Amino acid sequence: MFAPLALTHVLPFLPLAQDGVDYQVDRRDDPELIRTLLSSDATRVILVQSGRVAIPKGQGRFVDYDVAKIRLTTLAGSYVRDLIPDSMGGDFRSSPHAQCIPIFLGTRAGHSYVALDISEGIIAAEVPNPRNVGADDAFASDGPTRASADARPSILELARTRCDWVGLREFAPHASTVEAGLATTAATLSMWHRAQHYCPYCGAATTSVFSGWAQRCQNAADDNRIIFPRIEPAVITAIVDSQNRLLLQHNSAWKPGFYSVSAGFVEAGENLEHAARREAREETGIEVSDLMYTGSQPWPFPSSLMMSFKGYARDTAIHVDGKETESARWVSRDEFIRALTSGEMLAPGKATIARYMIEEWYGAQF
Ligand SMILES: [Zn+2]
């Protein structure tokens, strides 16, 4: 279960964070793990390509409806087992542009979860009879089950056409916390594997190891070094003044009318509080005194970790640079809700930590 990290944690559970999935890190270095898991129909496989996850066909239109629920397409392990070549051992990518990449996501409630990144690979595999293996409905309607050898459909081709594909921003507000967390891990590692094909130290090709959680450099002279995905820390700060007004800003890169709180990446040599104060000063000219940690959220676009603070302003005189930050203003709760309802101001999306920070200040969802 989700548990707060510290007594100062005031934000609720945030979309995209993990909820109750046991990572079982000690199993990842077993090169046979993926194949073993896919031999069991208790293993659930989710599909990811280029940072988007597969959902049942037709559910994609629900992203525009607040109350609609969306789930992941899940396949039984045996449904995709034949996609994993026998000869590759623990390394599932023999060249930068070949094969799909399986990722062991962990276990929950008796089920193991494997994500299959199909961003690039299209591999022909016979489709088992879905009634025998409990495959997702998306594949059970009229799919050929024993096609002739030369007309055999690829399961990945089926997935591409029989699923809708959505990004995490669209999926998370409509998903269970468990599935949003699984999708976040899968999409994060998927995007990393797709962005990095070569060792950043020696330039040799890499292969996926540790069940998708790392890469190994293929150069023996570089000791076949193991490379882990980088996670980039960022700070985000809700700044209030002595009258509990909130400081909102509009950046030039944002769509017109969109307002949010101060945020930026942690730079070399900084601790979190230095980064939060520096960003506030750079963006709005506001000096922040006390800072309180309020929560964190993985933000895999592509690989950030957002750490949120509440800050108190020493003064209220705003100075923006007019370039990166176009404007900034203090708002009371009444002014804020009036600006929202009139359409003058747009708030951050429902999957974002910024939204939760503003709702915490406002005292209610909006
Ligand atoms: Zn290397």
Side-chain angles (χ1 to χ4, degrees):
M1 291 297 291
F2 170 69
L5 288 171
L7 292 175
T8 53
H9 189 121
V10 298
L11 298 180
F13 182 85
L14 295 165
L16 308 182
Q18 290 292 345
D19 186 27
V21 174
D22 181 354
Y23 270 26
Q24 299 193 332
V25 174
D26 57 333
R27 298 178 71 190
R28 289 177 191 163
D29 64 355
D30 173 3
E32 291 301 316
L33 176 65
I34 296 290
R35 207 184 315 280
T36 303
L37 291 174
L38 295 184
S39 297
S40 166
D41 287 331
T43 297
R44 294 177 174 174
V45 178
I46 70 171
L47 302 173
V48 57
Q49 62 171 334
S50 305
R52 300 169 84 82
V53 292
I55 62 173
K57 191 80 177 172
Q59 291 198 9
R61 67 180 187 275
F62 294 160
V63 298
D64 295 328
Y65 298 95
D66 277 356
V67 296
K69 297 293 177 208
I70 299 177
R71 66 180 174 86
L72 292 168
T73 288
T74 55
L75 304 175
S78 60
Y79 215 56
V80 297
R81 184 180 48 215
D82 293 344
L83 297 177
I84 310 304
D86 283 334
S87 59
M88 298 181 72
D91 292 341
F92 295 103
R93 191 173 65 201
S94 57
S95 75
H97 301 292
Q99 316 300 343
C100 49
I101 298 176
I103 301 161
F104 172 53
L105 298 175
T107 66
R108 181 185 160 88
H111 293 282
S112 293
Y113 287 87
V114 172
L116 201 59
D117 180 306
I118 63 170
S119 302
E120 293 170 24
I122 290 279
I123 302 168
E126 188 168 358
V127 181
N129 185 329
R131 280 178 291 282
N132 296 338
V133 296
D136 190 272
D137 291 347
F139 296 85
S141 56
D142 56 354
T145 56
R146 301 290 297 179
S148 63
D150 57 352
R152 192 176 286 172
S154 152
I155 190 166
L156 305 185
E157 288 165 347
L158 286 180
R160 288 201 163 117
T161 57
R162 295 198 184 184
C163 296
D164 285 342
W165 293 85
V166 291
L168 295 176
R169 285 185 183 86
E170 293 81 40
F171 178 68
H174 304 276
S176 71
T177 57
V178 173
E179 290 207 339
L182 290 169
T184 301
T185 304
T188 304
L189 290 170
S190 161
M191 288 187 280
W192 176 60
H193 283 298
R194 293 308 162 191
Q196 179 165 306
H197 293 155
Y198 301 97
C199 172
Y201 299 92
C202 75
T206 59
T207 58
S208 169
V209 291
F210 294 171
S211 304
W213 288 82
Q215 293 182 358
R216 174 177 286 134
C217 170
Q218 296 299 88
N219 180 5
D222 195 23
D223 293 331
N224 297 114
R225 80 165 70 228
I226 299 294
I227 303 148
F228 293 95
R230 288 184 52 136
I231 295 169
E232 293 158 4
V235 290
I236 181 165
T237 311
I239 300 166
V240 295
D241 70 2
S242 58
Q243 302 164 56
N244 199 30
R245 292 184 304 171
L246 179 68
L247 181 61
L248 289 174
Q249 62 188 67
H250 172 74
N251 291 2
S252 52
W254 295 344
K255 60 187 173 186
F258 182 89
Y259 278 80
S260 189
V261 296
S262 173
F265 285 107
V266 178
E267 297 197 339
E270 282 189 313
N271 62 12
L272 300 175
E273 45 271 46
H274 188 277
R277 292 194 172 97
R278 175 183 52 75
E279 287 290 346
R281 192 182 308 119
E282 286 174 7
E283 293 177 340
T284 60
I286 296 295
E287 294 290 337
V288 172
S289 56
D290 292 345
L291 275 170
M292 186 175 74
Y293 171 74
T294 57
S296 65
Q297 181 189 41
W299 191 245
F301 306 106
S303 55
S304 297
L305 173 65
M306 306 294 293
M307 284 167 282
S308 113
F309 296 85
K310 189 160 191 176
Y312 297 87
R314 289 186 194 277
D315 56 62
T316 57
I318 291 170
H319 301 285
V320 297
D321 63 10
K323 294 174 188 162
E324 185 186 341
T325 310
E326 240 172 54
S327 63
R329 58 191 270 200
W330 294 99
V331 290
S332 67
R333 290 187 179 88
D334 284 347
E335 288 164 345
F336 173 68
I337 210 70
R338 218 163 27 236
L340 273 192
T341 52
S342 71
E344 175 194 352
M345 200 179 263
L346 299 171
K350 290 193 172 178
T352 66
I353 194 169
R355 175 74 168 229
Y356 284 79
M357 295 165 73
I358 297 172
E359 287 181 347
E360 187 277 326
W361 161 79
Y362 184 69
Q365 294 183 341
F366 50 81

